[in-house]
Amino acid sequence: MTVPTSPDGMWSIGELAEQAGVTVKTVRFYSDRGLLPEAIRSVGGHRRYGPEALDRLRLIRSLRTLDLPLPQVDRILAQEDAPGATDALEGAVAGQLRELGTQLSTLRWREAALHLLRDCTPEERADRLRLIGAVNTPPTTDALARFWRHVLPARLPARLLSTLLEAAVPQPPADPTPSQVLTFARLHAVATDTRVLDINIRRLAPRTPDGSCRPAVLYEGLTEACALASAHVRAQRPPHAGEALDCFVAAHAGLRNMRDTPAFRRQLSFQLAQLAHPLIDRYWQLAGELPSASPQPTIGATDDWLRAALDAQVA
């Protein structure tokens, strides 16, 4: 029912509250915050509102229903009649969607983690609780990226480093199963293992005889070699000589400014075996167990295939 206005076309605070379906306290609160300007004051000092106040009050209620904070509501109302009013509202809605997405991700992760703990044996529970407790909620890839920034050589071009990190760092599952929570937690544990300080993969990029250091030459070539090998890995073909292996060896030879010879291949096979580290192997094993938007095998899987092809050839 519409509350009739007085002869002067104004509403009292009670009449406006009744019309909007809120309490007088709510109207007074928004008025005191400056969100709902009053038109005039009566002779007795009572607040009086014009019909436009109802539209403003309804808009405030709608914005608050979306859980927008009052300062943001204030900014939207301040720009209501300005050219950027739509942008302000769109920005607020986008921000709320991002925040809600984070909250939902947190809840999905917690639910899967709780199922994981509920369904394990008492002997497994303490270890799983330790693994899960070490991961932020919702999980991030910060620790995994730090792992590779330590492992990879310094002075890589920013574009190449970004490409390598994108390929090496799997994203946390958006809607994880309990087993995926465990896999990601184990991957996080590998990435934060103190033994990462012992990984000497940086020796893959030594200085050349002329004193220069060109790690980008190596990793650009390795990226191409892994791309060539990925089709063989997907098809489960046994490691063999061919274009992918030639590209792999050429990357290492180019770094050292050496020729690709049988002797170089034997030396490279020995050196790569010396550089192998169980943390790297474990990382790629776990990364391969996580869901991926890419149909391509992991870098670890293609690198294993290429090294096996090299070992088979020199053997």
Side-chain angles (χ1 to χ4, degrees), residues 35-227:
L35 300 178
L36 188 64
E38 57 200 57
I40 58 173
R41 289 266 181 163
S42 67
V43 176
H46 299 293
R47 306 174 198 243
R48 305 288 288 172
Y49 299 90
E52 67 281 356
L54 180 60
D55 292 334
R56 172 64 68 93
L57 184 54
R58 285 173 172 165
L59 176 58
I60 294 171
R61 289 188 63 196
S62 297
L63 295 173
R64 291 294 288 154
T65 299
L66 297 173
D67 206 26
L68 294 177
L70 283 174
Q72 206 161 33
V73 172
D74 193 11
R75 286 193 294 271
I76 294 172
L77 293 176
Q79 301 178 25
E80 186 179 4
D81 298 323
T86 302
D87 294 339
L89 180 56
E90 288 179 354
V93 170
Q96 284 299 102
L97 285 173
R98 286 192 298 270
E99 183 177 343
L100 186 59
T102 300
Q103 293 172 359
L104 290 174
S105 296
T106 299
L107 291 174
R108 285 192 290 264
W109 177 271
R110 287 177 179 170
E111 181 184 26
L114 288 170
H115 280 292
L116 179 68
L117 293 173
R118 183 196 65 183
D119 298 336
C120 69
T121 65
E123 293 75 20
E124 295 173 318
R125 191 161 293 132
D127 182 60
R128 293 187 176 187
L129 187 58
R130 176 186 58 81
L131 288 169
I132 294 170
V135 181
N136 292 330
T137 306
T140 69
T141 58
D142 294 347
L144 311 187
R146 283 195 300 271
F147 174 86
W148 284 109
R149 287 181 185 277
H150 168 80
V151 168
L152 292 170
R155 298 179 298 279
L156 286 177
R159 175 193 55 79
L160 177 57
L161 178 61
S162 176
T163 299
L164 292 171
L165 289 178
E166 183 178 355
V169 177
Q171 295 299 313
D175 190 8
T177 64
S179 63
Q180 289 169 353
V181 166
L182 182 59
T183 298
F184 190 87
R186 285 173 171 165
L187 188 62
H188 182 275
V190 168
T192 54
D193 193 313
T194 55
R195 288 178 296 166
V196 68
L197 301 176
D198 300 330
I199 296 178
N200 55 8
I201 198 172
R202 291 173 185 267
R203 292 197 341 240
L204 279 174
R207 292 190 177 277
T208 55
D210 62 2
S212 64
C213 185
R214 302 176 298 171
V217 172
L218 173 64
Y219 284 91
E220 290 279 10
L222 292 182
T223 300
E224 182 180 354
C226 287

